[in-house]
Amino acid sequence: MATNSKTLQEMAEIILKDRSIDEVRDALEPNCHDAYKRFPNGNECDTQAISKRWQHIDGVTSPENIYDGEDLQVYKSNIENCIGTVKIPVGIAGPLRVNGTFAKGDYLLPLATTEAALIASYHRGAVVISKAGGCSAILMSEGVTRSPGFAFKTISDMISFSHWILMHREKFYEVAEGTSNHGRLQDIRFAAEGNHLYLLCDFTTGDAAGQNMVTIATQAICEYIIQNTPITPEYWFVEANASGDKKATAQSFMTVRGKKVSVEVIIPEKLIQRFLHTTTERMVDYWRMSALGGVMTGSIGVQGHYANCLAAMFIACGQDAACVAEAAVGITRFEKREDNSLYATATLPNMIVGTVGGGTKLPSQQSALQIMQLAGNGNSKAFAEVCAGAALAGEISIIGSLAAGDFTRAHHDLARQR
Amino acid sequence: MATNSKTLQEMAEIILKDRSIDEVRDALEPNCHDAYKRFPNGNECDTQAISKRWQHIDGVTSPENIYDGEDLQVYKSNIENCIGTVKIPVGIAGPLRVNGTFAKGDYLLPLATTEAALIASYHRGAVVISKAGGCSAILMSEGVTRSPGFAFKTISDMISFSHWILMHREKFYEVAEGTSNHGRLQDIRFAAEGNHLYLLCDFTTGDAAGQNMVTIATQAICEYIIQNTPITPEYWFVEANASGDKKATAQSFMTVRGKKVSVEVIIPEKLIQRFLHTTTERMVDYWRMSALGGVMTGSIGVQGHYANCLAAMFIACGQDAACVAEAAVGITRFEKREDNSLYATATLPNMIVGTVGGGTKLPSQQSALQIMQLAGNGNSKAFAEVCAGAALAGEISIIGSLAAGDFTRAHHDLARQR
Amino acid sequence: MATNSKTLQEMAEIILKDRSIDEVRDALEPNCHDAYKRFPNGNECDTQAISKRWQHIDGVTSPENIYDGEDLQVYKSNIENCIGTVKIPVGIAGPLRVNGTFAKGDYLLPLATTEAALIASYHRGAVVISKAGGCSAILMSEGVTRSPGFAFKTISDMISFSHWILMHREKFYEVAEGTSNHGRLQDIRFAAEGNHLYLLCDFTTGDAAGQNMVTIATQAICEYIIQNTPITPEYWFVEANASGDKKATAQSFMTVRGKKVSVEVIIPEKLIQRFLHTTTERMVDYWRMSALGGVMTGSIGVQGHYANCLAAMFIACGQDAACVAEAAVGITRFEKREDNSLYATATLPNMIVGTVGGGTKLPSQQSALQIMQLAGNGNSKAFAEVCAGAALAGEISIIGSLAAGDFTRAHHDLARQR
Amino acid sequence: MATNSKTLQEMAEIILKDRSIDEVRDALEPNCHDAYKRFPNGNECDTQAISKRWQHIDGVTSPENIYDGEDLQVYKSNIENCIGTVKIPVGIAGPLRVNGTFAKGDYLLPLATTEAALIASYHRGAVVISKAGGCSAILMSEGVTRSPGFAFKTISDMISFSHWILMHREKFYEVAEGTSNHGRLQDIRFAAEGNHLYLLCDFTTGDAAGQNMVTIATQAICEYIIQNTPITPEYWFVEANASGDKKATAQSFMTVRGKKVSVEVIIPEKLIQRFLHTTTERMVDYWRMSALGGVMTGSIGVQGHYANCLAAMFIACGQDAACVAEAAVGITRFEKREDNSLYATATLPNMIVGTVGGGTKLPSQQSALQIMQLAGNGNSKAFAEVCAGAALAGEISIIGSLAAGDFTRAHHDLARQR
């Protein structure tokens, strides 16, 4: 997070325009004098509750853009202090043909975004893949982790505690299953650091993304441990930040978080030329240079912009959009085959998605899942495969336009000149 | 992305339930036989265009949840193939008192989310901070990078080319400024790897997030170079994946991407006890253990869940939600002061935000910015400071509940039992 | 690997002093004209062979510093093209009292280094730990990995191959054991990326560091696979760079490479004051700031300078010094206890060490192991615990001097002013 | 650092063989009862001092392997508590033809190692490169950083302090130059995290590796600051672990630590076939798979085994061997050219090397530098270029043997069967 002296100098000039450093210091001072008026708490989403909340809000020229008097009780279990809804435009790319272990067919991709050119790009990629026969997709593994942490006086206590857990771990499966119909404990891993122990509790979570499910199951396991172990920790927490929740981590990338899917497609060069206006060789040149660009900048994995489609699909389909932080990692690879066709593959190990739970039941989100025929139970594996296919479509399209040299123009035209 | 043999065995059993490995192979085969029907392209957002698109969509029980016949021309420049909008419920946390270099006052935080308990948690954190006099916030640096890549026959050519650029770089400032009123080239950095050269073109972008602006300016610089340099690269790309666009990278974390803001607050222990039901010491214990949890899992920076508030504010306020991938990194630090108060700070170096451009002008998004009094020109710096303050509020609240042991219950109650 | 334009300008001036860029280009040209005289190959280490080699060497004023006519046949199995020996001074720190699961007693630490102040610093740390009753040390896990890679036409082939391996993996244990008396296959992990499969073959290796042992066993497993599987890879390699050999990796850090040891000590503040001239509080302040220094710079783990003692002990004791690259990672943590004592702990997960094999049998190296009473079979676990204890001693001493403000003076005095 | 339950179970069985968990706990207890006998301190290296030290050492069968009564006063400024020397066999690879900006000619490579096959492999690589006309090498940038850290009550104080430094930074150049004839301050970068400020003081250090030089200069700068600034930090340290000293970090990899050198060679396929018994295509296949192997395991950069040659050359040539931890990072890249020749390049950004200072003046180390004609002033840039060339030679040779499938056999034969 370093800034060189020349750049800092320029920043200082911006901050100190029209004021002294002491005035800046004054601005930063805590202010306990002015009255503070807290926004009222509440889960209710009826018209009255929402209207009341708007009385605490000033300066909005067209509040009806957020709230137009409609009944919003349907959102009640998904939000607090609700004042209405934001509307995100949603467009369709594809369909994308997916030949997967769970997904099978041509999937329309609902993408919610406010960024021009995004859907056009994914659409192009989806068409190219589909024209080539579709992408093969395979779910390689799945799992969601919670990581309670336990602190002890000494390493000696920590290993006694670990040993106790090791000896009693069979019981935990039962305890975990008592909390959920869908969550299933897979294994407990032990990550010891000095006198600290982090347990990595790995679960499968059925068709839900499952973060709450694994929290509740882990809480139950921890409480069982605390009530039964002869070694009491100094303190413990149900989550000690080793689960990879809401962040990109090397650990999740190297194992799995949610679902790990690999997709691939082989595209004849004539399709590359026709749709992408470039050659297989140049796309592979791009891949090589961009993969090392990722390495040189310390990304986790190497890929282009999985985040674009994941954010757009997550928002459209009622997923937890904050999970883009962890899901948007993986490896894209392009190779030239002997017949000049392009072999393109993407592997996304951290797709924490679900087709039940979370926001999936909300009205427009449920409709978006229905567009893909993937709403409800039994569909999360296929949904993950389709998401991965969409990510690959985006990689192919953007690399195509960068290789062809028309990336800037495409963005320029679509964003500025309409 | 490794899976041990026991876990893979279980996965294999799931995949091979009711079918053989050859049947799985068949499912993965490219399918060029079935007809493929492409979704029609188009930027129009009038009723007719949208209705026509719906004729290509099947199986949606209540399409009116996405499109109810309203005029959507306002979205025309932000999306393609539009079929309507998804509605994300938005709630208010706070207000959050911010004493910043640019932000000043009590800011209501509009958060769009479908995850129960999220707003309640940020609300609590915002109240605690505000009761303590608010958070101090400072914008430390800003900049957005594009990274064109140039490939040469030999290192020798690469250094001649680099040298030419070095000698002519003054001209680039002019070229860049010709493309934009707001973008300003700051510096060009050179990242050579063998016979490859990546240029890191660093810009400021006024009050816009600015990714398109820097693309266009960089394209102009590259074209100027190509037209004028005596050394022709074998090939080149306007972006070679070294800019950190749409991904968490060590490089962006260590420099800046968008805006870097530090915030801090000092909270008396009595507020900790009253609002968070725990002690300063236990919160600091949590911080220590969770910071090392981040280290042990290879996160970029160490923090808890910046992604939650960034995703929710980005969606509400017309930011590019895919940028959660890069923005949700930084460092949270908690310390106990001699008087038992809690010193809490958060530093977010990659907040790529704007108050003009992108989705900020769309109806509900503009309204959300107005709720904060931060719509339009002159507000992006303050907006970044408020976002960082919100991130800190979330860290304080969630660490409070983990330290107090009521994290699970809070989620359980809010999500399951309403 | 980026350089800003000002710095590059300065570099260009250095390179272009007294010459043009074209002259630099000329200097870089391949030279196939001048005759090339290859140094003669050979494993022999007798006087005649070595003397003959010296005839190919010019310009050494005192060749006897490297070779003085002695018999060097003892080195024959450890080197090729031998011309003598380099002498590295070795000093003793400690002894270090270790209360370990395998190490027990007061260990003199033989450290080979040419860096002034290093041994003095470790000596001080070892004395402080020992005066506090010694460090507790526990071997947490062990294992060495080889990672063959297999490439296929399609993901479909890759999963068939994986499935075959999964079904036949029991046989591999037998195959592996046929190659070695000491190596034992623990598990095979599968890391799939598109149509590529990396197998992570995890072994224990008795008291040897074991890299050759696992290579030979993995080769046998691979050959067995290739001969028996119905699915032939396009190509394969016995090591595809996913084992962490000779490099720091997040993967090895997060699992184990060689041996993982945690050590801890609790030091009363009066010992801190007496030996380190500082306070527990300031040392903890240092730890906090330096841990985040590590985070801010993207180190793998957070620690100060494990490399110093590991390099010095590895060289002294016949270990593979190149493994410093992977071994010098881990986590150091300092906390203040209620009685103001210092809790200090170090966890080193990648100590790839042995007490048999490699250079351990060479004369001075064997003597160095004897100084610790740790030469030969049955001692590698204890040796790893002692190395980890030495690492902690170094952390305590250097942090002490940084906290006390006498770090610079110590180095200055010992290095410059003798 | 996680271990799954099955593996931990096996570890527990090893630890608990023949003893209970309580007996293990007893073994870990601090021991303040037994007498502790400290090894005597001392810098003297005369016969008497050394002999006296041996009286404190037991159990060494042939102490003469370490100390045979010779005069070791020459080591006096490089070590404490000296008891003799360890002898590391040194062999020659090459010569390696280097066409560099500073290195020019055929360099014999002195490599000190105890690992069989290492020199044979580098030798082969050096011959192949040289036969192809040698490698082109260019020093891209240089610099060594120290990172003092300053802690303040508030961000407000931190920015006042930063501002003061910004305003007075010109003075620091003078202060720094007062401490050294060779060190030169290049820039100061500011890395702020909450109320903490890390200064990154970047220096060039002439022909010395320079760590002590930059410590002393930074100490002087810090003292100047503390004496003159009106804002007193709560505490500060001359090094706050943000310099990358003795560890691999993303920051050093992305900038420079010591010297950054790129080398390249173009090898006709007939040389590949003749010397490496494989094809260009297969070597490029290997590169692609191994580069992604590095990415999948979270290495810093992607390369094979730079550590092998760096450790061996550092030990032979009086470098700080602990710096292998930071130096052994970079990027190797292989490409197939249209004429089937192999383009191979290596970029090493963290080569912290010197030809004066440290251990370079010690007898055998100075001789090793003389073998390369690179002892003393004016040679460090060329030395860095040769080291990088050696690293590339190793990559080519090992990838050749992995691609040809004879890697295992080569190691097996050289290590086991002599």
Side-chain angles (χ1 to χ4, degrees), chain D residues 162-207:
Chain D
S162 298
H163 191 247
W164 186 90
I165 287 178
L166 203 56
M167 294 299 102
H168 295 78
R169 69 184 187 276
E170 292 310 321
K171 179 69 183 168
F172 304 165
Y173 293 84
E174 191 184 307
V175 169
E177 269 156 45
T179 65
S180 162
N181 294 325
H182 301 292
R184 203 166 78 81
L185 182 65
Q186 295 290 304
D187 192 16
I188 289 188
R189 288 175 288 150
F190 297 72
E193 180 273 308
N195 60 354
H196 284 178
L197 179 69
Y198 302 74
L199 290 181
L200 304 181
C201 302
D202 300 327
F203 295 88
T204 53
T205 59
D207 283 300

Side-chain angles (χ1 to χ4, degrees), chain D residues 284-302:
Chain D
V284 172
D285 288 336
Y286 184 85
W287 173 76
R288 194 190 307 107
M289 195 165 201
S290 68
L292 291 182
V295 168
M296 288 171 77
T297 54
S299 65
I300 295 179
V302 286

Side-chain angles (χ1 to χ4, degrees), chain A residues 97-100 134-138 262-265, chain B residues 27-30, chain C residues 155:
Chain A
R97 183 163 292 181
V98 183
N99 312 301
C135 56
S136 305
I138 180 161
S262 281
V263 290
E264 76 181 2
V265 65
Chain B
L28 298 186
E29 277 296 296
Chain C
I155 289 181

Side-chain angles (χ1 to χ4, degrees), chain C residues 6-43:
Chain C
K6 174 172 163 283
T7 305
L8 189 62
Q9 179 79 51
E10 289 168 5
M11 194 73 221
E13 280 160 23
I14 290 169
I15 290 176
L16 297 173
K17 207 178 70 167
D18 309 329
R19 58 180 166 177
S20 70
I21 186 111
D22 284 339
E23 286 169 312
V24 172
R25 290 176 63 99
D26 286 348
L28 298 186
E29 278 295 297
N31 168 4
C32 291
H33 311 300
D34 294 336
Y36 172 74
K37 197 171 162 203
R38 181 175 174 167
F39 196 82
N41 284 57
N43 299 333

Side-chain angles (χ1 to χ4, degrees), chain C residues 1-2 10 19 28 31 35-36 76 80 92 95 97 101 117 133 136 186 198 219 247 254 289 304 408 418, chain D residues 1-2 10 19 28 31 35-36 76 80-81 95 97 101 117 133 136 186 198 219 247 254 289 304 408 418:
Chain C
M1 307 196 285
E10 289 168 5
R19 58 180 166 177
L28 298 186
N31 168 4
Y36 172 74
K76 205 185 146 179
E80 301 85 40
I92 297 289
R97 183 164 291 181
T101 29
S136 305
Q186 295 290 305
Y198 302 72
Q219 180 81 24
K247 58 187 68 76
M254 282 169 201
M289 194 166 202
T408 307
R418 267 176 211 166
Chain D
M1 306 195 286
E10 288 167 4
R19 57 181 167 178
L28 298 186
N31 167 6
Y36 173 72
K76 203 185 148 180
E80 301 85 40
N81 306 356
R97 184 163 291 180
T101 31
S136 305
Q186 295 290 304
Y198 302 74
Q219 179 81 24
K247 59 187 67 75
M254 282 170 203
M289 195 165 201
T408 306
R418 268 176 211 166

Side-chain angles (χ1 to χ4, degrees), chain A residues 96 120-130 132 134-135 263-268 271-272 275-279 283-284 286-287 304-306 332-335 342-346 388-404 406-407:
Chain A
L96 175 70
S121 180
Y122 279 87
H123 189 48
R124 185 172 77 149
V127 170
V128 172
I129 287 176
S130 302
C135 56
V263 290
E264 76 181 2
V265 65
I266 298 166
I267 307 177
L271 288 179
I272 304 276
F275 286 99
L276 306 176
H277 319 301
T278 185
T279 62
M283 289 184 77
V284 172
Y286 183 85
W287 174 75
H305 65 134
Y306 293 169
T332 294
R333 174 161 51 90
F334 282 15
E335 289 187 39
L342 175 72
Y343 176 84
T345 184
L392 182 61
E395 299 290 273
I396 288 168
S397 184
I398 206 171
I399 292 179
S401 66
L402 285 161
D406 55 19
F407 174 78

